[in-house]
Amino acid sequence: MKKIKYIYRFFIVLILFTACKDNLNDLSFADNISAPTNVTANYNIKQDNTGEVTITPNAEGATNYDVYFDADTTTPVNLEQGESASNVYTEGTHDVKIVAYNLNGDKTEAIQQLVVSFKAPQNIVVVLENDAAISKQVNITVNADFASMFDFYSGEVNATEPVSGNIGETISYLYKEAGDYSIKIVAKGAAIATLEYTEEFTVTEILAPLEAAPNPKNRKAEDVVSIFSDAYTDVTLNELPTTWSSSGFEAITIDNNNVWKLTNLDFVGMVTNYDSGIDVSSMEKLHIDYWVPNDATNELLVKIVNTVDGGEDEESLGTTVGGSWQSIDIDITGFDGGDLANKNKITQILIDSDGISNVVYIDNFYFYKEPDASTTFNDGLLTNGDFENGSEAWLVGVDDNSSAPVVTDNGNTYYSVNVTAAGNPYDVNLSQKVEIIQGNTYTLTFDAWSDVNRPIIAGIGLSASPWSNTTETVNITPTRSTYSITLMATEFGAIDARVIFDIGAAVGLVNIDNVSLIIGKGNVLNNSDFENGSESWLIGVDDNSSAPVVTDNGNTYYSVNVTAAGNPYDVNLSQKVEIVQGNTYTLTFDAWSDVNRPIIAGIGLSAAPWSNTAETVNITTEVTTYSVTLTATDFGATDARVIFDLGAAVGQVNIDNVSLSSN
């Protein structure tokens, strides 16, 4: 096993070496592996009064273990994942130490007690509970004097048994069917004698969601046509359900959220209006959230009908997944396979089952399109900087349970508070927790406006004592304006630091929107969003070349299709820019592909010796913002460059909104 593991590590390094010819020292993939978690050991004690115990360590993210049998052990036993070791113990309580290692050699330690007794187990206490979130799962906890482990017998026919656990710990068992079962527990120690416990227990099935469906994104009114959702304004339904529906229908609430409950569902119909219907032709997706019990197998479908111009089509929600809310997005072009004349006049919508579904819960049923990509806001290190997801991530002060006040006006959501009495600046506050690294420079940009001319304080700082911070006073007016300030975290840093807006020192309405925090002094690149086409962007270092760009829905971005894998630098996007030796830079960009694939991103020279520093970034089919921190340790030049090397793997690569900021 060890030989195989080392060969595996060799190939990992070899692959990274091949993919990173421009940057042979970059092994960030391995650096990002987390240390092992949930380190435990299972005990299997031999019931022959010898004290022999078999120990099997386990952990998430571990490849091998050191096991110290007790506090006196100086030389551990090394085990691979899945292996066990045995030891003969004297009677008493022993501290077993398990050290779990990952691929990098990072370790996590845990100490777990082992009780070895040659007395028969006594005073057994068993706790059996139906899991609150997982249908038909029973959680079992057993305690008993002089016992080390227990065996659980479920009472199911043809079950693989027993299932074992350590005394004092909780194990879980998932039943195939709900019902009454004769459960047996056998408590074991090092003694030959055991102690049995039996109980008749009812295993229950969860037949309804325990929490509301996920909240939809905040969308502009013109980007959504809502049939049923608390998040949006719904269209008027003239009939719900229709008289010709074959289903039970009930409007209920779950966690104060409106939900449809459909029982004995064959199909349920609804009518928008028979005169003109609703126009969903400009929408891109149909979204629906559903919940069914764990054992539900019926396929669910949605049908849309145009009775004005004629035609209908039906799309499946895919293989049913039970026991939790499922969020389904169907491409609207999927409805082009039927005989719909058009999607301009949808008069009837049906939710179907390919049989009779016992119970189905429905929420957040709407058509939508994504906003114009050219208007997508880049909030840098922050989350929900444009407040389009309401108060998400934004707090009052440092209270994690608070929600900053927001309003929505003409489809735009932003922070808004009216200060009616002046006091301390921090009496009225808006914050978002974010990691701040001591010594770094940050640029904070935001829009702000008021109903009067008044000051606010903006900056970064700690979210706990000693409350160190660096801020500036910004004078805002009734005219919405964009403000940008550069801030140094000279004397503080923390993973839970924060962006600060202290507003309480003066009266007046304060509105804040489009908050962005980036590392460094701001973007030094030209045409970073490609809205001027290929301007400033090159293929390689050829000043006469032009990087390929495309325009989609008014948004222009770099796009290239790599059809054959080769050297990473065979397909390249660059922009020449001054790089100062010794400086640290943050490179941020949006990227996506038609497959999951790697690209290389960094900074470097545009001529021999081609020195650079870069990282491998794995992009997906989703538009995602990536950020890498790069130090120009050994190079610098006025005509250095930003580098994207793309040729090592096949697939479409799209890049947009590139920012390079010096720290």
Side-chain angles (χ1 to χ4, degrees):
M1 281 296 293
K2 289 183 180 178
K3 185 176 181 180
I4 293 172
K5 178 179 70 177
Y6 297 140
I7 292 173
Y8 171 73
R9 289 180 179 174
F10 168 77
F11 279 110
I12 287 287
V13 173
L14 181 62
I15 291 167
L16 288 172
F17 177 90
T18 303
C20 300
K21 183 176 180 181
D22 281 328
N23 182 23
L24 301 181
N25 294 321
D26 176 37
L27 295 176
S28 60
F29 164 77
D31 291 340
N32 291 330
I33 299 176
S34 299
T37 57
N38 298 327
V39 180
T40 61
N42 292 327
Y43 301 140
N44 190 351
I45 193 162
K46 204 168 185 179
Q47 296 168 258
D48 59 358
N49 293 325
T50 63
E52 183 178 343
V53 180
T54 300
I55 300 172
T56 306
N58 191 37
E60 295 178 15
T63 58
N64 61 299
Y65 305 85
D66 284 336
V67 177
Y68 296 79
F69 290 125
D70 54 34
D72 297 327
T73 301
T74 57
T75 303
V77 175
N78 184 261
L79 302 174
E80 301 292 332
Q81 178 67 38
E83 292 182 339
S84 303
S86 296
N87 185 56
V88 175
Y89 285 90
T90 58
E91 192 171 25
T93 300
H94 304 270
D95 288 333
V96 178
K97 183 168 79 171
I98 308 101
V99 184
Y101 298 89
N102 68 7
L103 186 65
N104 281 339
D106 301 322
K107 65 181 181 180
T108 303
E109 297 184 6
I111 294 178
Q112 186 172 296
Q113 277 196 343
L114 168 65
V115 176
V116 176
S117 174
F118 300 133
K119 295 181 180 179
Q122 300 174 14
N123 303 322
I124 189 168
V125 177
V126 176
V127 178
L128 302 172
E129 294 180 319
N130 284 292
D131 193 274
I134 302 175
S135 187
K136 294 177 290 187
Q137 177 172 298
V138 175
N139 302 323
I140 308 104
T141 307
V142 178
N143 283 285
D145 296 338
F146 313 124
S148 302
M149 57 170 293
F150 67 92
D151 290 336
F152 169 79
Y153 295 84
S154 67
E156 277 192 311
V157 178
N158 298 324
T160 301
E161 294 181 322
V163 178
S164 301
N166 296 332
I167 287 293
E169 297 178 359
T170 300
I171 65 170
S172 299
Y173 185 87
L174 187 64
Y175 282 80
K176 295 182 177 65
E177 302 290 342
D180 295 329
Y181 292 88
S182 298
I183 287 173
K184 182 173 74 171
I185 306 288
V186 180
K188 298 179 178 180
I192 297 174
T194 62
L195 178 61
E196 290 190 7
Y197 171 92
T198 59
E199 180 178 335
E200 295 297 317
F201 187 78
T202 301
V203 178
T204 60
E205 182 176 8
I206 298 174
L207 297 175
L210 303 175
E211 58 185 7
N215 289 326
K217 290 183 178 179
N218 220 18
R219 299 183 185 275
K220 294 182 178 180
E222 61 267 27
D223 292 338
V224 63
V225 177
S226 179
I227 307 303
F228 174 64
S229 177
D230 291 347
Y232 311 119
T233 301
D234 296 336
V235 301
T236 300
L237 296 177
N238 291 346
E239 296 181 39
L240 174 68
T242 60
T243 55
W244 37 266
S245 294
S246 179
S247 172
F249 179 92
E250 185 180 358
I252 65 170
T253 59
I254 297 174
D255 282 350
N256 297 315
N257 191 56
N258 292 306
V259 176
W260 290 346
K261 179 182 179 182
L262 312 178
T263 53
N264 297 319
L265 171 67
D266 183 2
F267 62 90
V268 63
M270 60 206 79
V271 173
T272 57
N273 68 81
Y274 278 122
D275 294 330
S276 57
I278 56 172
D279 184 359
V280 298
S281 59
S282 65
M283 299 294 107
E284 299 169 353
K285 304 274 184 153
L286 169 64
H287 178 94
I288 189 169
D289 290 337
Y290 76 81
W291 190 100
V292 295
N294 268 329
D295 290 338
T297 57
N298 292 102
E299 182 183 11
L300 300 176
L301 310 99
V302 174
K303 180 186 291 185
I304 60 175
V305 183
N306 181 338
T307 60
V308 179
D309 298 323
E312 63 182 45
D313 196 19
E314 189 171 59
E315 280 295 298
S316 172
L317 302 187
T319 303
T320 306
V321 177
S324 62
W325 282 105
Q326 301 300 309
S327 296
I328 306 299
D329 290 279
I330 298 173
D331 196 312
I332 198 71
T333 59
F335 292 99
D336 294 341
D339 60 354
L340 273 174
N342 57 65
K343 294 189 282 286
N344 302 327
K345 302 168 186 176
I346 301 303
T347 56
Q348 296 176 354
I349 302 174
L350 293 84
I351 300 173
D352 287 354
S353 172
D354 68 338
I356 304 298
S357 294
N358 290 333
V359 61
V360 179
Y361 295 83
I362 298 292
D363 199 0
N364 301 324
F365 187 16
Y366 56 87
F367 300 86
Y368 72 95
K369 64 179 180 179
E370 293 295 351
D372 187 341
S374 63
T375 64
T376 301
F377 177 70
N378 181 10
D379 46 20
L381 302 175
L382 301 179
T383 300
N384 187 33
D386 59 3
F387 297 91
E388 290 309 305
N389 285 332
S391 299
E392 179 187 333
W394 289 103
L395 309 174
V396 177
V398 295
D399 181 0
D400 292 330
N401 296 315
S402 66
S403 295
V406 297
V407 299
T408 301
D409 183 24
N410 290 325
N412 179 45
T413 302
Y414 53 89
Y415 169 84
S416 185
V417 67
N418 189 21
V419 182
T420 57
N424 297 308
Y426 51 80
D427 288 342
V428 182
N429 169 273
L430 170 68
S431 291
Q432 181 174 144
K433 292 184 179 178
V434 63
E435 181 176 15
I436 298 294
I437 299 172
Q438 186 170 350
N440 273 5
T441 299
Y442 294 85
T443 300
L444 176 63
T445 306
F446 58 95
D447 296 345
W449 66 105
S450 177
D451 57 351
V452 295
N453 294 335
R454 55 150 295 164
I456 66 173
I457 294 174
I460 55 176
L462 298 182
S463 62
S465 182
W467 307 103
S468 306
N469 64 78
T470 177
T471 60
E472 286 190 15
T473 298
V474 177
N475 294 303
I476 67 174
T477 72
T479 301
R480 177 169 176 153
S481 302
T482 300
Y483 303 90
S484 184
I485 56 178
T486 301
L487 307 156
M488 275 285 293
T490 307
E491 299 175 350
F492 63 90
I495 195 169
D496 64 343
R498 58 175 175 150
V499 165
I500 302 167
F501 292 95
D502 283 338
I503 300 163
V507 298
L509 187 67
V510 175
N511 305 304
I512 296 174
D513 199 2
N514 296 335
V515 187
S516 172
L517 184 71
I518 64 171
I519 298 176
K521 300 175 182 177
N523 190 10
V524 297
L525 298 179
N526 294 319
N527 187 30
S528 60
D529 59 3
F530 297 91
E531 290 310 305
N532 287 331
S534 299
E535 178 186 318
S536 300
W537 291 101
L538 308 175
I539 299 172
V541 295
D542 182 0
D543 292 330
N544 296 315
S545 66
S546 295
V549 298
V550 298
T551 301
D552 183 24
N553 290 326
N555 179 44
T556 302
Y557 53 89
Y558 170 84
S559 185
V560 68
N561 187 23
V562 183
T563 57
N567 297 308
Y569 51 80
D570 288 342
V571 182
N572 169 273
L573 170 68
S574 291
Q575 181 175 143
K576 292 184 179 178
V577 63
E578 181 177 12
I579 298 294
V580 179
Q581 185 170 347
N583 276 12
T584 298
Y585 294 83
T586 299
L587 176 62
T588 304
F589 57 94
D590 295 342
W592 66 104
S593 178
D594 57 350
V595 295
N596 295 339
R597 54 150 296 164
I599 67 173
I600 294 173
I603 53 176
L605 299 182
S606 60
W610 308 103
S611 305
N612 66 79
T613 178
E615 287 193 13
T616 298
V617 177
N618 294 303
I619 67 174
T620 71
T621 56
E622 298 292 328
V623 180
T624 304
T625 300
Y626 301 92
S627 184
V628 294
T629 301
L630 309 156
T631 302
T633 307
D634 301 320
F635 63 91
T638 57
D639 64 343
R641 58 175 174 150
V642 166
I643 302 168
F644 293 96
D645 284 338
L646 317 171
V650 298
Q652 190 88 24
V653 177
N654 306 303
I655 296 174
D656 200 0
N657 299 324
V658 187
S659 171
L660 183 70
S661 181
S662 174
N663 196 21

